[in-house]
Amino acid sequence: MKTKRSTTQAVALIAAAVLLGTTACSTATSSTSSDKPATAGGTLKVLGAGDVDHLDPALAAYVPTTSVMRAVSRQLISYKTVDDATERIAPQADLATEVPQPTNNGLTYTFTIRDGAKWDAPDGARQIVSDDFARGLKRLCNPLQSSPMLTYFNEAIEGMKPFCEGFASVPTDAPSMKKYIEDTPVSGIKAIDDKTLEIDLVSPAGDFLYMLSLNNASPAPVEVLDYEPDSPDYRSNFISSGPYTVDSYTPDKELKLKRNPAWDAKSDPLRAANVDAIDVTFGLTADAITQQLQAGSADMSFDITLSPALIQQLKAANDEKLVSVASGAVNPFIWINTKTSNNDSALQNLKVRQALQYAVDKAAVVQTLGGPDVAAVQNGIFGQGVLGQHDFDLYPSKDSKGDPEKAKSLLAEAGYPNGLALKMPYRTKDQEPQIAQTIQASLEKAGFTVELVPVNPSDYYSKFLTNPENTAAGMWDIAPVGWTPDWQGGAARSVFQPQFTFTGTPQTYNYVDYNNDEANALAAQAIQSTDPAEIAKLWGQVDEKVMTDAIVIPIASPRANIYHSDRVQNFIPYALSVQGDWTNVSLK
């Protein structure tokens, strides 16, 4: 009988061929035409439109921020930055000395902490120990601002749920939270000694090692408990475990990273740390960023989407600095606000939500994104390559162009023969204004009147959509968003749990507290299963259950087209960031 580790890798291999396929116009790894060799050193210049969501590894969940987390934090498990699609998503030992096989019928994982991995602590470099991992996991459910990835660990680790329930009643000042974290154990997290960490699970989980690759599972030094999570004081006293640390940070303007003097290359098998510093500038337009990349005055982008016209131009020129990455993303898809009382709570009516499903012209949105070479029409919650994704369409229309007449009929059946007026926010970045206008046009053909509300990219999630008061108050009715799986391999849990489960504690990215008990039961079976075929079947059923409720409107599954300057060498995408790995590129 296969061990749990073997089963997990089997799940990964099934998805590997398409989950994070990487192509360039001429080679899989981007290089340059110049013969000038790459050398260590220099400052990597990165440009972005929006800012990071958080600098605290426990809280960061925005995909572009993963590039920062790769540079300033380490985890028990991570990934190599390599061309091979299968090896790229295979769990690798990072702060652990090896990837362990579970014992106790798949319930217990034991890790040995790597010697020489150190914090850049205020009183000097200090070895990272097993207590730091326990502390890091406990911080996920702090009552001031819990981690968006909390559900994974809360459901998986023995004793985590009661610990978090107790934490919820603790005052939110730093001393009170510190005392609770330091004095209250989690039964399933045991620091056997400084070098040995044992984690016990509630039930077998074939994807647990992948969960540990998230920056949210990073260890935490005791000093960070003196500050509120990700507060200005936390940021100005940042303590790194990675090859770089924060030099300075001005929100919405600039982030500067410098070498971490406590980092030892011999203790890190996954990060070469070739460049001396990384400067990230925020607040620029996509056009300005791409112009600087082409001119060579900047090196890499942080969060932008290349225009369809530029992608076609670069492909036609066979420009090897253009790299295409599939990540299992669904982007955009539309959340429907069932918590608002707007229009006499019309969006709580299933027929109204079904009308919206039929109304959207998905083919037009794909064309806006750049056509079939850039994205595909999407009809479920799992993107291309995620185990459980399958072809189905509960709301079909010819050529995926929408069915306005069907939508109007459903609106009339729901009691709205004259249509509905809706508010739809959108981010003022990249192609999102054009996408919003395309969605607006198709909905208006079906009897909806759509007011577009522009929102600053930095505020869209953290201050707008994830604000429960704004949602309940009806400041938005429908909202386009995107989602990329949080890890590689069998990643369906990382799509479903954060967005589509509700057990009484609000989820950051389940904007309307959506819940389906039947879907939850199927998901629980999938998570515990050791049979890849059964896992795929069960997650496929979950997908159809969610889509039957018509709570979201999937539209497109895109490939990320990313571009870098001529002086960047060793440009290979890192599995979690959908971007070249800052910690392994070099400059010429």
Side-chain angles (χ1 to χ4, degrees):
M1 186 171 68
K2 291 182 178 179
T3 65
K4 193 63 63 176
R5 179 184 177 194
S6 298
T7 301
T8 303
Q9 291 172 339
V11 172
L13 293 174
I14 289 174
V18 288
L19 186 59
L20 194 70
T22 305
T23 60
C25 291
S26 58
T27 58
T29 305
S30 188
S31 58
T32 69
S33 57
S34 171
D35 292 330
K36 185 176 180 180
T39 57
T43 297
L44 181 70
K45 299 178 181 179
V46 181
L47 305 181
D51 200 348
V52 298
D53 59 337
H54 296 283
L55 279 180
D56 188 334
L59 301 177
Y62 184 38
V63 174
T65 304
T66 307
S67 291
V68 179
M69 294 295 106
R70 172 76 161 175
V72 301
S73 69
R74 295 178 64 184
Q75 297 73 42
L76 287 165
I77 301 295
S78 191
Y79 304 97
K80 289 182 180 179
T81 304
V82 293
D83 287 323
D84 183 82
T86 300
E87 189 178 5
R88 188 187 303 127
I89 64 171
Q92 305 286 340
D94 186 358
L95 286 173
T97 58
E98 63 181 358
V99 178
Q101 295 191 32
T103 57
N104 189 24
N105 296 316
L107 295 177
T108 301
Y109 288 81
T110 303
F111 300 89
T112 301
I113 311 306
R114 191 182 296 274
D115 283 332
K118 298 179 180 180
W119 297 112
D120 63 329
D123 56 354
R126 183 177 72 240
Q127 172 70 37
I128 297 170
V129 297
S130 54
D131 273 328
D132 296 329
F133 294 92
R135 184 179 301 112
L137 290 168
K138 290 178 182 180
R139 291 183 73 241
L140 297 181
C141 60
N142 77 83
L144 183 64
Q145 190 173 13
S146 64
S147 172
M149 304 302 168
L150 172 61
T151 297
Y152 303 140
F153 301 95
N154 212 16
E155 298 292 331
I157 299 175
E158 180 69 39
M160 191 76 177
K161 188 172 290 186
F163 172 85
C164 291
E165 289 171 350
F167 209 169
S169 62
V170 172
T172 56
D173 61 282
S176 296
M177 292 190 291
K178 178 178 181 178
K179 178 174 175 55
Y180 184 80
I181 287 174
E182 293 297 274
D183 292 351
T184 310
V186 174
S187 60
I189 306 174
K190 304 181 184 72
I192 306 301
D193 55 41
D194 281 353
K195 293 191 62 177
T196 309
L197 176 72
E198 185 177 282
I199 301 178
D200 295 323
L201 305 186
V202 174
S203 58
D207 53 5
F208 184 63
L209 288 174
Y210 294 98
M211 291 166 54
L212 292 178
S213 72
L214 298 174
N215 52 258
N216 312 92
S218 300
V222 66
E223 290 89 348
V224 303
L225 300 184
D226 293 333
Y227 317 109
E228 294 179 356
D230 207 33
S231 62
D233 284 341
Y234 173 96
R235 294 176 174 187
S236 62
N237 292 279
F238 192 88
I239 298 176
S240 172
S241 59
Y244 301 94
T245 191
V246 175
D247 188 12
S248 64
Y249 173 59
T250 305
D252 298 318
K253 183 179 179 182
E254 184 179 65
L255 170 66
K256 289 181 176 290
L257 304 180
K258 62 182 180 181
R259 286 196 182 276
N260 173 7
W263 179 78
D264 183 352
K266 294 191 294 295
S267 76
D268 192 336
L270 303 177
R271 302 164 184 82
N274 294 314
V275 300
D276 291 328
I278 303 170
D279 289 356
V280 190
T281 303
F282 306 114
L284 303 175
T285 66
D287 286 345
I289 292 170
T290 53
Q291 288 170 10
Q292 291 196 51
L293 295 179
Q294 289 181 296
S297 55
D299 301 310
M300 292 171 59
S301 64
F302 178 66
D303 61 348
I304 66 164
T305 301
L306 299 178
S307 71
L310 178 59
I311 291 170
Q312 295 307 318
Q313 175 187 334
L314 295 172
K315 285 186 174 182
N318 198 31
D319 192 327
E320 61 187 12
K321 299 185 295 297
L322 175 69
V323 179
S324 180
V325 185
S327 62
V330 178
N331 186 12
F333 66 98
I334 296 173
W335 265 98
I336 300 173
N337 185 357
T338 56
K339 295 188 73 101
T340 176
S341 59
N342 291 350
N343 297 301
D344 297 322
S345 303
L347 295 179
Q348 295 177 25
N349 188 317
L350 177 60
K351 288 187 181 295
V352 173
R353 300 199 302 274
Q354 290 173 335
L356 284 165
Q357 300 281 346
Y358 281 106
V360 175
D361 184 344
K362 298 181 182 182
V365 175
V366 167
Q367 200 59 41
T368 300
L369 289 167
D373 289 341
V374 175
V377 166
Q378 179 73 23
N379 297 312
I381 66 172
F382 299 129
Q384 299 294 319
V386 174
L387 200 63
Q389 186 276 335
H390 64 295
D391 291 331
F392 76 101
D393 189 358
L394 300 185
Y395 311 99
S397 62
K398 185 178 180 181
D399 299 325
S400 300
K401 293 182 177 180
D403 188 338
E405 297 308 314
K406 176 72 171 179
K408 289 178 182 178
S409 175
L410 284 164
L411 277 178
E413 290 177 28
Y416 302 94
N418 298 318
L420 285 171
L422 303 175
K423 288 180 284 189
M424 186 177 84
Y426 67 92
R427 291 187 294 184
T428 53
K429 69 184 286 283
D430 300 334
Q431 298 164 270
E432 298 194 29
Q434 291 81 9
I435 291 169
Q437 292 166 9
T438 301
I439 294 169
Q440 178 191 45
S442 63
L443 292 180
E444 293 191 341
K445 290 178 183 178
F448 295 95
T449 301
V450 181
E451 176 191 354
L452 297 182
V453 182
V455 179
N456 183 286
S458 299
D459 295 339
Y460 192 68
Y461 287 102
S462 62
K463 298 179 182 178
F464 198 84
L465 283 185
T466 59
N467 185 312
E469 290 76 21
N470 282 354
T471 297
M475 292 186 68
W476 62 277
D477 294 305
I478 57 175
V481 297
W483 192 267
T484 300
D486 292 313
W487 60 80
Q488 302 305 310
R493 183 212 290 247
S494 76
V495 176
F496 177 71
Q497 280 192 342
Q499 300 183 96
F500 302 107
T501 61
F502 179 72
T503 58
T505 302
Q507 292 272 72
T508 305
Y509 297 106
N510 182 349
Y511 309 115
V512 300
D513 297 340
Y514 168 78
N515 188 65
N516 182 308
D517 289 338
E518 293 181 0
N520 292 343
L522 290 165
Q525 293 178 53
I527 289 167
Q528 294 184 39
S529 176
T530 60
D531 179 357
E534 181 185 35
I535 292 169
K537 179 181 178 181
L538 288 166
W539 281 121
Q541 292 172 352
V542 169
D543 200 345
E544 294 188 24
K545 289 289 184 184
V546 173
M547 289 310 303
T548 297
D549 289 336
I551 194 69
V552 294
I553 309 171
I555 298 177
S557 179
R559 294 182 67 85
N561 289 280
I562 47 183
Y563 189 75
H564 61 84
S565 75
D566 184 68
R567 74 172 189 148
V568 176
Q569 307 289 286
N570 308 320
F571 187 94
I572 305 172
Y574 166 54
L576 297 184
S577 68
V578 199
Q579 181 55 271
D581 186 353
W582 296 359
T583 69
N584 281 302
V585 298
S586 55
L587 303 173
K588 65 173 186 178

